[in-house]
Amino acid sequence: MAAYQTIKDWPEEDRPREKLLAMGAQALSETELLAIILRNGNASTGESALDHARLLLSQFGGLKGIDDASAAEIGAVKGIGPAKIAQLKACLEIAKRVGAQKWETGQPLRSAEDVYHHFRENLGREKRELFYVVLLNNKNRKIREVKISEGSLTASLVHPREVYHPVIRESAAGVIFVHNHPSGDPAPSPEDIDITRRLKEVGEVMGVRVLDHVVIGHDRFFSFSDKGML
């Protein structure tokens, strides 16, 4: 049997914690995020924290299943004791409380994650593709959000005229575009990239700052700004 290795023994680029610090939490899979919470595996069996994370996700059908499971049900999983149960439940509760904090009118924008947390409840599991524009004042404080279209994202549905009409009406200084991918994968399509480019060009002509385009998936998101695509 190969010698038991802790995560500290792995190459640095493969360690979930170091990967998170270097690339951001969005770069990690659910398995890697759970492994950071669990911290360690079981030296006697040679199982790592990643092994335990995979087992939990498989047994309970994902993060939602783990959240719904009782402490007794989680404790029945081999290698998961009271300390790990408490860590899991505490982190999942923190996530729910953060998600409940809506981005209210008048509040400043801090990050794409603010946008994601505000929209994920309504858009994260939506079966239709919806496109919103969030209007901001010159201090990046939210004025309001406006739904522009429903349906597959195309140039005909998301036309600059429709997008910028409420911007002009409200005298907004900046905007953030938001839409969802019903497939659950927030990676931008070629259409997403093209529409974002066109809308940004129109914004530049009008003197309106386009701060971001956030794509909402299932429990994750993609930020054009964070990826340097604006």
Side-chain angles (χ1 to χ4, degrees):
M1 178 184 293
Y4 172 71
Q5 289 187 319
T6 67
I7 288 178
K8 290 182 179 179
D9 298 318
W10 299 1
E12 187 167 321
E13 64 272 15
D14 292 337
R15 301 178 204 166
R17 185 175 62 189
E18 283 73 10
K19 185 176 176 182
L20 182 150
L21 294 174
M23 303 173 63
Q26 292 304 313
L28 273 65
S29 66
E30 291 182 355
T31 302
E32 291 170 318
L33 291 169
L34 272 184
I36 291 174
I37 296 168
L38 295 172
R39 296 182 58 193
N40 52 53
N42 189 325
S44 64
T45 62
E47 295 171 315
S48 69
L50 279 169
D51 293 325
H52 285 173
R54 291 190 191 97
L55 181 59
L56 284 167
L57 289 168
S58 173
Q59 184 146 335
F60 294 105
L63 292 174
K64 183 66 167 58
I66 297 172
D67 187 37
D68 292 339
S70 67
E73 289 172 324
I74 297 174
V77 177
K78 184 179 178 182
I80 307 299
K84 290 183 178 179
I85 295 171
Q87 289 163 202
L88 286 169
K89 286 297 185 181
C91 287
L92 290 167
E93 180 60 26
I94 288 171
K96 285 192 288 186
R97 294 188 187 189
V98 169
Q101 295 176 357
K102 294 291 187 180
W103 184 26
E104 302 293 349
T105 298
Q107 289 183 339
L109 170 72
R110 295 185 299 271
S111 67
E113 196 163 1
D114 281 352
V115 180
Y116 166 66
H117 286 308
H118 177 71
F119 280 96
R120 70 174 179 178
E121 184 177 341
N122 291 332
L123 296 186
R125 300 291 172 178
E126 175 62 55
K127 301 301 182 185
R128 301 162 298 165
E129 198 159 333
L130 307 179
F131 186 95
Y132 283 79
V133 58
V134 181
L135 312 179
L136 305 170
N137 65 18
N138 57 9
K139 293 184 178 179
N140 292 345
R141 294 181 182 272
K142 179 184 170 185
I143 299 173
R144 68 189 184 97
E145 63 203 49
V146 181
K147 184 168 71 174
I148 301 298
S149 70
E150 297 183 17
S152 298
L153 213 60
T154 63
S156 59
L157 275 176
V158 184
H159 192 280
R161 179 180 60 251
E162 305 300 327
V163 173
Y164 282 98
H165 177 68
V167 178
I168 296 169
R169 188 174 61 240
E170 300 282 353
S171 299
V175 293
I176 295 172
F177 307 125
V178 183
H179 84 280
N180 64 304
H181 280 178
S183 68
D185 181 1
S189 67
E191 292 78 13
D192 296 342
I193 295 170
D194 181 60
I195 287 170
T196 303
R197 177 187 55 78
R198 292 193 306 110
L199 291 175
K200 185 173 188 295
E201 288 173 353
V202 173
E204 288 172 347
V205 170
M206 297 176 62
V208 176
R209 291 175 293 113
V210 176
L211 275 70
D212 206 346
H213 183 175
V214 178
V215 186
I216 310 292
H218 295 174
D219 302 318
R220 31 189 194 133
F221 69 94
F222 181 95
S223 164
F224 275 73
S225 179
D226 287 354
K227 298 298 183 181
M229 295 174 63
L230 276 179

